Amino acid sequence: MIKRFAFVAGFGIGFVVGSASGRKSYESLRESAINTWNDPKVQAKVSEGTDWVKSEVPVVGEKIAESAQKATETVTTKASEGAAAVKGKAQDGAASVKEKAQNSSSHGTDAKLPKPATTEKDVDMEPAHPVPDAKDMKK
């Protein structure tokens, strides 16, 4: 019990001393940052940077618009080429299927359909876990 009391007392003293010195350090750092920000030289550089950004925004905006236009044209061209290629392959595939169908019907052979993967005999109709009777539920 004495060990716990000593621990709690030490923790409390450390907290009070640490927070007081920590608070002093924080206030010192905060005051230094405010003084630096309010320095006329810093404010002059901030103003200079702000003016530069405002002057460059239209130029950057034009470059972005040009790049977006080029990207749109490229995507449109590639999409049209891709659509044409897919359409051509689809037409070739349809013609090939039609030709095969005509050849098989002209030879008098029926098209063979694939066998089903499972039959009714393969399917187990019994439930995996039987439902308990009402008698079993009362127990």
Side-chain angles (χ1 to χ4, degrees), residues 1-138:
M1 186 66 144
I2 294 176
K3 289 181 181 180
R4 287 185 185 169
F5 179 73
F7 175 75
V8 170
F11 180 79
I13 292 169
F15 181 78
V16 170
V17 171
S19 64
S21 68
R23 183 72 180 173
K24 287 178 187 175
S25 297
Y26 168 76
E27 289 297 329
S28 173
L29 181 63
R30 181 175 172 267
E31 189 174 325
S32 175
I34 290 172
N35 289 338
T36 302
W37 180 254
N38 291 329
D39 185 10
K41 292 178 183 177
V42 172
Q43 287 301 312
K45 290 294 182 183
V46 168
S47 178
E48 184 180 316
T50 304
D51 293 341
W52 179 82
V53 169
K54 287 179 181 178
S55 69
E56 292 297 318
V57 166
V59 175
V60 173
E62 289 175 13
K63 289 182 180 180
I64 290 174
E66 290 172 6
S67 296
Q69 182 64 33
K70 287 179 184 177
T72 302
E73 292 170 1
T74 302
V75 168
T76 303
T77 303
K78 295 294 182 181
S80 297
E81 291 172 0
V86 168
K87 185 177 179 182
K89 287 185 179 186
Q91 289 173 346
D92 291 345
S96 173
V97 168
K98 189 175 182 181
E99 181 181 317
K100 287 180 183 178
Q102 287 175 348
N103 287 341
S104 67
S105 65
S106 65
H107 294 304
T109 59
D110 292 332
K112 294 182 181 179
L113 298 175
K115 293 182 181 180
T118 59
T119 62
E120 289 181 22
K121 294 178 187 177
D122 295 338
V123 178
D124 184 17
M125 298 306 286
E126 293 294 322
H129 301 287
V131 178
D133 294 337
K135 297 176 192 174
D136 295 336
M137 299 289 279
K138 291 182 181 178

